[in-house]
Amino acid sequence: MVQGTTSDAGKSVMVAALCRIFANHGKKVAPFKSQNMALNSAVTDCGGEIGRAQAVQAQAAKISPTVHMNPVLLKPNSDIGAQVIVRGKAIGNMKADIYHDHKPKLLDEVCESFEELKQDVDFIFIEGAGSPAEINLRDRDIANMGLAEALDVPVVIIADIDRGGVFAHLVGAYELLSAAEKQRVVGFIINRFRGDINLLKPGIDWLEARLGVPVVAVIPYIEKLYIEAEDAIDHQAIQTEDTQIKVRVLGYPRMSNHSDFDVLRVHPQVDCQFVRSSHELTGADLVILPGSKSVRDDLAWLKQQGLDVEIKKHLRYGGKVLGICGGYQMLGEVISDPFGIESAPGDSVGLNLLPLKTTLAKEKTLVNVSSRYLENGCQVTGYEIHAGKSEVTQEGTQALFRLSDEGVDRIYDDGLKDADDNVRGTYLHGLFDEVSVLNAFLEWAGVSKVSSFDFKAFQEQEIDRLAEVVEVALPYKKILRLMEAFQPQQ
């Protein structure tokens, strides 16, 4: 099990690296994270919803993701509450205190998913959540040391030296553990180190002498590494000399599935940034409204920022607008939530840029789909994940995709474009991952000659690059010895 001193210490990336290392050595391996809190999610083959990080780790392990890899997913819909998803299906919304009381009931389901996963693989790498030193949550912990004890597994603790204070992080986290929990810690990993390793050695010697726990690896800082983020957004602009268009994605408070735009952020011809204010849309060629966990609340926020006015100004000046999932719903005439699925029951007036009415339903659509892009016949696979059911209110409109539901024998159209083809919307996530469809959308947005960029190949290349660097610092056989040396307590 990989635990971290803080959020974003490198747990997700380390588990992805370990999965690829073991897969490269011919082992059947799987990732596991009992409880994940993220608005970035993925759809499994069975139509379940899991954290995006576990889907990426499954890709690193060279297997298909399942709901057992992330049995509990929390999708925040307020500062004190979240939608609770168990084994891929939503069981309702809970406030933090109610969920804390409910956690012991979920531990059995977590352990059952772990046992289910064990049947098909040789090794499982488990990712913790946040930090094991969150003593206020210890009594009902199902994500860190509480889980390690339930599953009886060894633990390594990772800390990010690039943040600063790495020794304080490691000492503090370790000293806040109980005596029994300390016995599970077989090593520390120092992540993202830059510079001369000899300058770090005195600190490592001091740490090992003080705590009696070895530093099993120092992972170097990997320049420009791209591994899909669990939930946090890297707001740093990625630009190249070949940039031809400016894409601005509205980063509203409950934005979801921002990984849809990773390909745009790394594409050599695209300057893609997340923005939150109207003045940041100046000079944009394409404005994107992404998905949202609370569509009506995010639509209200968008209007409060004056972004609705700026979007219409952007269109008058010849710009393009694209809405995906919740963003697609916002582009329509009205969004109704009669059952209070995402927030208080009621209706919200949309941006009136597409002839569309949406009603939020009790049952969420969760499905992987194959589709054909109607503009050029290109094939693309993606997924739908939304509570809304949308109805086109005007005859003669043009759809964007013809979809085939992989779970049932059903063919249907998705998406719309306005009469001038300046506004487009779709429910399809992952549409940019297919090269031919990405190129067609970039041409629509204003790129005169699109350079071919295979995002799927790029993802694989980056996972391999990560695994190669990590294995130099933490060899395969050393990882095996760490696991073999641990003496189970049960």
Side-chain angles (χ1 to χ4, degrees), residues 302-335:
L302 181 155
K303 292 177 178 179
Q304 289 168 0
Q305 310 306 311
L307 286 163
D308 55 335
V309 175
E310 198 64 28
I311 287 169
K312 291 174 181 178
K313 176 181 175 183
H314 163 80
L315 286 169
R316 289 199 304 273
Y317 288 177
K320 302 292 176 66
V321 172
L322 172 66
I324 296 178
C325 199
Y328 176 35
Q329 297 170 357
M330 293 181 194
L331 293 176
E333 299 166 359
V334 65
I335 302 169

Side-chain angles (χ1 to χ4, degrees), residues 110-169:
V110 165
C111 292
E112 286 174 13
S113 280
F114 183 80
E115 291 299 321
E116 187 75 23
L117 205 56
K118 276 175 59 178
Q119 306 306 312
D120 299 320
V121 298
D122 304 313
F123 296 91
I124 297 177
F125 289 103
I126 307 164
E127 179 188 341
S131 164
E134 293 166 352
I135 54 177
N136 55 309
L137 302 176
R138 173 177 287 165
D139 66 327
R140 297 177 187 185
D141 172 40
I142 64 170
N144 289 302
M145 283 299 179
L147 178 67
E149 291 188 338
L151 302 179
D152 203 10
V153 295
V155 173
V156 291
I157 298 179
I158 188 169
D160 182 356
I161 195 171
D162 198 52
R163 292 168 173 260
V166 70
F167 297 111
H169 284 175

Side-chain angles (χ1 to χ4, degrees), residues 383-398:
Y383 62 98
E384 291 187 55
I385 180 170
H386 54 89
K389 306 291 184 183
S390 296
E391 174 189 356
V392 178
T393 61
Q394 180 178 312
E395 294 184 1
T397 56
Q398 288 185 283

Side-chain angles (χ1 to χ4, degrees), residues 20-65:
R20 179 53 59 94
I21 289 168
F22 273 61
N24 286 344
H25 282 272
K27 301 300 181 183
K28 295 173 69 175
V29 59
F32 183 79
K33 183 164 185 171
S34 60
Q35 173 190 283
N36 198 345
M37 178 176 283
L39 289 176
N40 241 14
S41 58
V43 179
T44 66
D45 291 342
C46 70
E49 188 175 2
I50 64 171
R52 193 80 198 165
Q54 281 60 66
V56 174
Q57 292 161 354
Q59 178 184 352
K62 303 181 182 180
I63 60 176
S64 297

Side-chain angles (χ1 to χ4, degrees), residues 12 21 29 48 73 156 191 213 231 236 239 282 300 305 344 364 377:
S12 298
I21 289 168
V29 59
L73 173 63
V156 291
N191 192 27
V213 178
D231 201 39
Q236 183 176 349
Q239 298 182 18
T282 302
Q305 310 306 311
K364 183 185 291 188

